[in-house]
Amino acid sequence: MLKRLSVIVFITFSVITSACTLASARPVMKTRTQTQTQSTKTKKFTGKYITNCTIYQLGGSEFVLKFYGNELTEPLLEFEDDTTKITMINTRFQDTKSINNSLSKIITSTPIITGFKAENLPDDTALVTISSAKPVQVHSGSKSYDGYSMRIKTLDDTIAFTNFVPPPKLIPAPDYQIPFKVAKKMTLELRDVDLRDVLRMIMTEIGRNLIIDPSFPQNVMVTMSLNDVRVDEIFNYLMRTYDIACYSAGKNTTVFGSFEGLYKLSGNTDTKTFNLAYAEPAAVKTMLTGLSHVPEANIVIDERMRTLHVRTNPAKMQEVTDLINRLDLPLTQVMIRASIFEFNETANRQVAHALNVAYDEYQLQWGAGAGTIVWQDPKTLTSITRTITDSFTNLLSTGQGKILADPSVIALDGKPADISLTEDYPYVSARDEQGNVTWSTEEVGPKLKFTPKVGRDGYINLLIEMETGEIIGTSAGSNGEEMPRTSERKVKTEIRVRDGMPFVIGGLFRENNTKTVLKIPVLGDIPLLGSLFKTTSNSKNKSQVVMIVTPYILDKH
């Protein structure tokens, strides 16, 4: 009986064990099925891509960070001490490794920035982490058709003199109040009186000693009519009007002079070195002298290091720092692409038709009594370029024209850029009695000179100088020289165009007269009878040079 019961128990346990084994295996199979289903349902990324990123410093306390991509969203910012995190939702970097590698070299020459990292987060978010030497804040941000750029400024860009507290008796600009109050009132009628004499008269009236510092302005004449005015108010007016300050040298003694002179007298001056990244040191020195009134002798240039050493009072140093940050900015870069074609006379109608089709896309708007040409649609720029290019390509394929040059050049705002695609044609220019020759060269070919000036409205004033020429024949000299005959065509114009807008310069025509002689050898050279064995024909060839120029602004802040 016990034996039979043990067999039943064993069979029951085996069945239960098999059932548990099957039950435990089913979730594994179900999990695999779910994984396969989820992988097939993974959505393709449909957000925006950041194709590139650039960064550069502006002056000593700002830098510009730009993301390149189509229709990028405004980034989210997070600041923590010296770390800035910039995130863009539903956005990814196209190649984080390439961006990080390219920017690592730039950062080494950007003192403000100590670290930069671009990465893609799992939730389709692009993250940039910037480490800086000082805490920063966003100064401004702007969105353009090719990306988004931000100007970032340090919060503490005046380390050397931010905590400066002037001496109690030294009054720096712009506080013009004198270091004492006088309730006494005076009536003054002055006409062309020297400012020194005015101060001397007032100080004598109130019973105080006066010292005129050597820095006091010379030959300043005062004209005023005041009736029953407090003395301290008169002093405030004089100091505000003639840009002077005063310094209490003792209980009853006041020194008057310039701000620079009085700071020097108090022994409170600073010397600071400014490293210029873009501007010319000599030009910055001239502007600082005129705008901040720092004496020229207090600004020393080190051309080798491109630095300015400025010695002035702490209050004026703040003004100098702000000016340099505004002056030491990079010039905007403009890329200019020029395509130069030469077409036969037979293609004149097709060339004119292509240009007319292009310019039909213009729309004329009137305002404030002046006409301005604008585009109907930004996409029109691409269609115009394609229209002209396709038309000219067809003419080239049929042998009705040729490309003389197709150069591209990058120029700085306001700086000329030259393109010379010329050849030297050597020729014998002279022979002496012994037959020795003198060689000379004639330079022929297209020459271009562009000078762009970028306006605040995104338009470009472009000064263009074009010159082209070629050898059209030779003239024999008396001693066997062969002097080349050249053709020359020039144009100089200045136009105002929009960024990316193509324009055309045409109408440079040339006419060649060709004389062709066909004759039978020997017989054609017989005098009188030779004309019977040769034929002469004259032909005229007329061609036109057309240049298509398209400027592109590369730096948009």
Side-chain angles (χ1 to χ4, degrees), residues 350 353-359 361 380-394 548:
Q350 292 91 325
H353 176 72
L355 300 183
N356 289 335
V357 170
Y359 288 120
E361 301 293 342
T380 306
L381 299 176
T382 304
S383 66
I384 289 178
T385 304
R386 186 181 299 111
T387 299
I388 298 176
T389 303
D390 291 347
S391 300
F392 285 4
T393 301
N394 292 334
I548 303 175

Side-chain angles (χ1 to χ4, degrees), residues 105-379:
K105 298 179 181 179
I106 300 176
I107 292 174
T108 58
S109 60
T110 309
I112 296 179
I113 303 172
T114 58
F116 182 97
K117 182 180 179 182
E119 56 183 319
N120 291 320
L121 300 183
D123 57 346
D124 291 338
T125 299
L127 171 64
V128 168
T129 305
I130 300 177
S131 302
S132 54
K134 310 172 188 177
V136 298
Q137 65 180 1
V138 173
H139 184 265
S140 62
S142 61
K143 185 177 181 181
S144 58
Y145 73 93
D146 61 343
Y148 192 93
S149 62
M150 294 180 291
R151 289 184 64 177
I152 303 175
K153 186 176 183 179
T154 60
L155 290 175
D156 182 16
D157 59 346
T158 57
I159 292 178
F161 45 87
T162 297
N163 299 323
F164 164 74
V165 178
K169 298 179 181 180
L170 182 61
I171 309 301
D175 188 355
Y176 292 92
Q177 291 187 0
I178 61 175
F180 54 84
K181 288 189 179 295
V182 180
K184 184 176 180 178
K185 297 182 179 181
M186 294 182 65
T187 298
L188 298 174
E189 286 289 343
L190 305 175
R191 179 176 294 179
D192 293 335
V193 180
D194 190 280
L195 180 58
R196 297 167 182 255
D197 295 331
V198 176
L199 294 176
R200 186 182 301 111
M201 178 180 59
I202 298 175
M203 294 296 282
T204 301
E205 181 69 21
I206 63 176
R208 293 185 65 89
N209 301 319
L210 169 68
I211 297 176
I212 299 295
D213 187 77
S215 63
F216 194 89
Q218 304 290 326
N219 303 321
V220 177
M221 309 308 290
V222 177
T223 297
M224 64 171 58
S225 178
L226 301 176
N227 183 26
D228 202 26
V229 179
R230 285 176 57 107
V231 171
D232 48 9
E233 292 180 5
I234 298 174
F235 275 120
N236 288 336
Y237 166 77
L238 294 174
M239 288 189 290
R240 185 180 296 108
T241 304
Y242 300 105
D243 198 23
I244 58 175
C246 61
Y247 171 74
S248 292
K251 183 178 180 180
N252 257 345
T253 303
T254 304
V255 182
F256 288 89
S258 68
F259 289 101
E260 288 292 327
L262 295 188
Y263 269 106
K264 183 178 180 181
L265 179 64
S266 67
N268 198 343
T269 59
D270 281 350
T271 300
K272 187 176 180 181
T273 299
F274 296 90
N275 296 313
L276 300 181
Y278 307 103
E280 291 297 327
V284 174
K285 177 179 179 179
T286 302
M287 287 186 280
L288 286 179
T289 303
L291 295 175
S292 66
H293 304 292
V294 175
E296 187 176 351
N298 289 10
I299 305 176
V300 179
I301 297 176
D302 185 348
E303 293 287 358
R304 182 177 61 90
M305 300 296 294
R306 290 182 54 81
T307 57
L308 288 179
H309 304 279
V310 182
R311 178 169 57 85
T312 186
N313 64 75
K316 183 68 72 172
M317 191 70 79
Q318 176 68 61
E319 181 182 350
V320 170
T321 301
D322 293 339
L323 282 173
I324 289 179
N325 285 336
R326 291 196 294 267
L327 295 174
D328 189 27
L329 299 177
L331 294 174
T332 302
Q333 296 186 106
V334 179
M335 184 181 75
I336 303 164
R337 180 172 183 180
S339 299
I340 307 175
F341 303 88
E342 183 175 23
F343 295 105
N344 300 333
E345 186 178 13
T346 57
N348 286 345
R349 179 176 297 179
Q350 292 91 325
V351 172
H353 176 72
L355 300 183
N356 289 335
V357 170
Y359 288 120
D360 282 344
E361 301 293 342
Y362 279 112
Q363 176 184 359
L364 191 63
Q365 294 184 348
W366 295 89
T372 57
I373 295 178
V374 299
W375 295 104
Q376 296 178 355
D377 188 338
K379 296 180 181 179

